[in-house]
Amino acid sequence: ASMKYYYLVLVLVALASAPLATVAGDPDILTDFVIPNMYGIAPMNITGDFFTYTGFRVTNETMPWPRRSLIAIKANMEAFPALNGQSVSYTKLVFPSECVNPPHTHPRAAELLVVLNGALSVGFVDTTGKLYTQDLSAGDMFVFPKGLVHYQYNLGQSPAIALSAFGSAAPGTVNVPASVFGTGIDNVVLTKSFKTDFWTVQKLKPHSPEMA
């Protein structure tokens, strides 16, 4: 019953936020690659180091403990400048037991997720309000279409690790709960939109004690 309620809330939030979503792609470049001005290096002096990212070397021993929330290590244009203009990026996701990556969207790219360890329950909602779900095991892949609201959930008691590829160097992330309940939208608008009461809206807002 709790999972059915969770899926219902997901669909309602997705439909409420869908009109706000804007999708776009990376622009084409006219050179082989782009060197940020901050580097001040001529192209002929660039080495393989510029095209190398080592952030995924982080081991379990060096990750925060205890692990109560999602750990997302991003290899995007901000963290890995060589990706500028290449229309690709990765994120490594580490899910503690019973951890949820809340409903969110990537406005500039589709997401192709592969489970490396453990298992995940995933899903997305299309523009008609239909929910697509799947339970994934290690080695399984799942694609989240560009700009659609989606989530991942580690139902098990063991950690899960996944790797997500994006068709953009800067796919962007819009966290639906935080965007809807944490950005100052008027309480009257929220109560009418979700057909609920003021106190329920207050409980869902990040500043409330229940979410601390």
Side-chain angles (χ1 to χ4, degrees):
S2 60
M3 285 301 295
K4 289 183 179 179
Y5 176 76
Y6 174 78
Y7 290 144
L8 176 61
V9 171
L10 172 65
V11 171
L12 291 174
V13 170
L15 291 176
S17 61
L20 302 176
T22 302
V23 293
D26 290 6
D28 290 331
I29 59 174
L30 302 178
T31 57
D32 294 335
F33 49 86
V34 177
I35 304 172
N37 293 331
M38 69 181 73
Y39 281 75
I41 303 175
M44 67 283 295
N45 295 326
I46 288 292
T47 69
D49 290 343
F50 177 71
F51 302 97
T52 303
Y53 178 77
T54 60
F56 289 167
R57 291 182 182 179
V58 176
T59 63
N60 290 336
E61 288 74 19
T62 59
M63 286 186 177
W65 187 267
R67 303 182 193 107
R68 297 191 180 95
S69 58
L70 175 73
I71 298 171
I73 305 172
K74 297 183 179 182
N76 55 17
M77 188 171 67
E78 181 178 358
F80 188 12
L83 296 182
N84 188 4
Q86 304 304 319
S87 299
V88 66
S89 60
Y90 276 101
T91 295
K92 183 178 182 179
L93 301 168
V94 181
F95 295 81
S97 171
E98 301 182 349
C99 173
V100 174
N101 189 5
H104 61 282
T105 70
H106 302 293
R108 293 183 287 276
E111 176 180 355
L112 182 61
L113 177 142
V114 57
V115 180
L116 303 179
N117 291 300
L120 291 174
S121 175
V122 303
F124 71 87
V125 180
D126 69 13
T127 54
T128 70
K130 182 176 179 180
L131 175 65
Y132 300 82
T133 65
Q134 189 61 269
D135 294 326
L136 306 177
S137 300
D140 294 344
M141 300 181 75
F142 192 87
V143 62
F144 302 99
K146 182 178 181 178
L148 297 184
V149 174
H150 60 280
Y151 68 92
Q152 299 103 22
Y153 180 29
N154 179 9
L155 287 161
Q157 297 302 307
S158 300
I161 299 176
L163 191 65
S164 286
F166 301 92
S168 170
T173 300
V174 179
N175 183 308
V176 174
S179 297
V180 173
F181 296 104
T183 54
I185 297 176
D186 190 274
N187 288 329
V188 175
V189 173
L190 294 176
T191 55
K192 289 183 178 294
S193 298
F194 290 96
K195 296 181 174 59
T196 186
D197 58 83
F198 171 83
W199 295 112
T200 299
V201 168
Q202 288 301 106
K203 288 180 180 179
L204 291 170
K205 291 193 170 184
H207 60 71
S208 63
E210 288 81 358
M211 295 192 67

